[in-house]
Amino acid sequence: MINESKLELALKNSWTEETSSDSENWTSDNSAWGQCAVTSLIVNDYLGGEIVWANAILPDGREISHYFNKMGSVEKDFTRVQFPKGTTISQGIPEVKEFSSTRDYILSYPVTQQRYELLRQRVQEFLK
């Protein structure tokens, strides 16, 4: 297995507007914006654990879908920094009922699958 800090560094250096689910609002100042689904897949690839879905409730009351990882009882959320101060994130649900896993659910969207493949390639290159 890879060192967690090296993986986090690889992710941060691999995020771009092309890997974001919201490329219109993505900026290099907030490079984690829109990266949670594909990042949770990469973390799962390298560190295992489970992918968890949760609601992120922004200070203005808007709710945004958010994914992160859990290793046992420990949360690994490399994209939490995308949200402004005052955002609350629910405990999360580790499985999506209609699918055999949350991973399968995330990858059931072709555009997300393409973003994942691009991020996966960039992370692999960075780690070489």
Side-chain angles (χ1 to χ4, degrees):
M1 257 193 206
I2 189 163
N3 174 304
E4 185 179 308
S5 2
K6 191 168 184 179
L7 178 60
E8 184 174 14
L9 183 63
L11 286 161
K12 287 179 178 180
N13 281 278
S14 301
W15 291 330
T16 63
E17 64 185 308
E18 292 87 13
T19 59
S20 173
S21 64
D22 184 13
S23 60
E24 289 181 18
N25 292 304
W26 181 91
T27 66
S28 57
D29 291 334
N30 187 2
S31 63
W33 183 256
Q35 307 286 351
C36 65
V38 292
T39 296
S40 69
L41 293 168
I42 300 295
V43 172
N44 183 250
D45 289 343
Y46 284 93
L47 302 177
E50 62 184 335
I51 299 170
V52 177
W53 172 84
N55 265 328
I57 303 168
L58 302 178
D60 65 7
R62 287 182 294 148
E63 290 186 25
I64 297 177
S65 180
H66 182 57
Y67 293 93
F68 58 92
N69 301 77
K70 273 194 174 179
M71 281 52 161
S73 62
V74 178
E75 282 186 15
K76 300 291 178 194
D77 190 349
F78 296 125
T79 64
R80 185 178 221 112
V81 297
Q82 71 183 298
F83 299 116
K85 187 175 181 167
T87 298
T88 57
I89 298 176
S90 65
Q91 183 176 0
I93 303 166
E95 292 183 20
V96 177
K97 293 179 183 169
E98 299 83 37
F99 288 81
S100 59
S101 72
T102 302
R103 181 182 186 89
D104 292 338
Y105 175 75
I106 294 169
L107 290 171
S108 71
Y109 293 90
V111 172
T112 306
Q113 190 170 9
Q114 290 170 352
R115 291 176 32 242
Y116 162 68
E117 289 298 331
L118 180 59
L119 183 60
R120 187 177 64 77
Q121 290 168 4
R122 289 179 178 169
V123 166
Q124 282 177 341
E125 286 298 313
F126 185 88
L127 293 172
K128 282 186 179 177

